[in-house]
């Protein structure tokens, strides 16, 4: 059974960089069939795709976040990570890490980690 | 980045059939598979339909998907109280800086 678990700070100050990590079990982050995405959901709102990283290390980002975003993977720890710079209140959301097979077929989701941007 | 268009709400009584639409264009829904996700209150989303009309194992056959041109639909037949929640469509967008697009979500209420 594939499981994903997000970890990171629940509170980030405005203008700082958010760092989240997703630990994967039951699959390998370098599996050629899997795309590893981050998806977020602001309070009371809908889903927004942030970006994904493929096993080769290639990435594809949401154009609206591209300038602030970096997604990486660590095969030795079997996890992947998100860094989102210049955080504002608009980035307050529940952040999910998700497996895609292929990219848009999100078949396994983490439980989500809440992130609040506030001074 | 544009989103796919869904009605904000839909409702029905137990046993009824409810249909949710998802409108896109030739760069997303019209060109690629559509996926549907169910999000029950307080839980993470769950894959409901993939490749326009396929159900993952464990999804009841009360749920069905279809696509025609630049629009797609999710139908819930034999509506049950446990179906109450939010439903999202998603598709890949082929534009140069595209990516995954989600619909705005439809809240289904069982009356």
């Amino acid at each position: 059974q594939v499981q994903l678990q997000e970890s990171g700070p629940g509170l980030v100050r405005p203008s700082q960089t958010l760092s989240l990590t997703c630990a994967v079990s039951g699959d390998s982050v370098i599996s050629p069939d899997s795309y590893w995405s981050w998806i977020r959901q602001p309070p009371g709102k809908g889903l927004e795709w942030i970006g994904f990283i493929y096993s080769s290390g290639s990435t594809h980002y949401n154009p609206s976040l591209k300038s602030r975003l970096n997604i990486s993977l660590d095969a030795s720890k079997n996890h992947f990570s998100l860094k989102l710079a210049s955080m504002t209140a608009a980035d307050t959301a529940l952040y999910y890490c998700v497996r895609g097979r292929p990219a848009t077929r999100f078949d396994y989701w983490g439980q989500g980690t809440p992130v609040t941007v506030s001074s | 980045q544009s989103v796919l268009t869904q009605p904000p709400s839909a409702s029905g009584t137990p046993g009824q059939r409810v249909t949710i639409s998802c409108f896109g264009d030739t760069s997303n829904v019209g060109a690629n598979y559509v996926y549907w996700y169910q999000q029950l209150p307080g839980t993470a989303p769950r894959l409901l339909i993939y490749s326009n009309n396929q159900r993952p194992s464990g999804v009841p056959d009360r749920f069905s998907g279809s696509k025609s041109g630049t629009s797609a639909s999710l139908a819930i037949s034999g509506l049950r109280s446990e179906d109450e929640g939010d439903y999202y469509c998603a598709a890949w967008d082929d534009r140069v800086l595209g990516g995954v697009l989600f619909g705005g979500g439809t809240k289904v209420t069982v009356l």
Side-chain angles (χ1 to χ4, degrees):
Chain A
Q1 178 76 344
V2 178
Q3 293 184 312
L4 297 93
Q5 178 67 58
E6 306 90 349
S7 60
L11 178 66
V12 177
R13 305 299 182 194
S15 81
Q16 288 191 332
T17 296
L18 170 67
S19 294
L20 297 176
T21 295
C22 180
V24 178
S25 59
D27 191 10
S28 169
V29 295
I30 56 173
S31 164
D33 297 324
S34 300
Y35 295 74
W36 305 100
S37 274
W38 290 96
I39 292 169
R40 69 182 182 180
Q41 185 171 33
K45 295 188 177 181
L47 302 172
E48 179 183 31
W49 175 74
I50 297 172
F52 70 66
I53 187 163
Y54 183 56
S55 57
S56 63
S58 63
T59 55
H60 196 107
Y61 298 153
N62 184 319
S64 68
L65 299 170
K66 186 178 174 71
S67 64
R68 303 192 286 133
L69 182 62
N70 181 264
I71 298 176
S72 60
L73 63 80
D74 185 331
S76 67
K77 297 180 180 177
N78 209 39
H79 74 207
F80 63 107
S81 301
L82 168 149
K83 289 187 187 300
L84 186 61
S86 305
M87 294 284 283
T88 72
D91 296 311
T92 292
L94 187 61
Y95 284 73
Y96 294 101
C97 61
V98 189
R99 188 184 82 165
R101 276 196 172 191
T104 320
R105 185 180 184 271
F106 302 121
D107 56 357
Y108 287 97
W109 297 65
Q111 64 184 20
T113 187
V115 174
T116 300
V117 182
S118 174
S119 55
Chain B
Q1 192 181 34
S2 60
V3 298
L4 307 178
T5 301
Q6 296 180 235
S9 63
S11 62
T13 57
Q16 276 190 330
R17 176 183 170 93
V18 168
T19 301
I20 301 168
S21 58
C22 174
F23 294 99
D25 61 35
T26 54
S27 294
N28 40 67
V29 173
N32 298 297
Y33 285 131
V34 175
Y35 299 78
W36 290 92
Y37 297 90
Q38 176 193 57
Q39 186 175 33
L40 301 178
T43 69
R46 160 201 181 195
L47 178 65
L48 201 61
I49 297 288
Y50 67 96
S51 301
N52 301 334
N53 55 18
Q54 302 298 302
R55 282 185 308 276
S57 60
V59 173
D61 59 6
R62 303 185 293 105
F63 295 92
S64 62
S66 64
K67 188 182 99 167
S68 178
T70 58
S71 67
S73 293
L74 173 71
I76 311 173
S77 57
L79 192 66
R80 303 177 69 162
S81 58
E82 57 260 41
D83 299 332
E84 191 161 283
D86 298 315
Y87 293 79
Y88 297 91
C89 62
W92 182 264
D93 189 274
D94 285 340
R95 291 181 176 87
V96 173
L97 295 179
V100 179
L101 293 182
F102 281 102
T106 298
K107 182 173 180 58
V108 169
T109 301
V110 182
L111 301 170

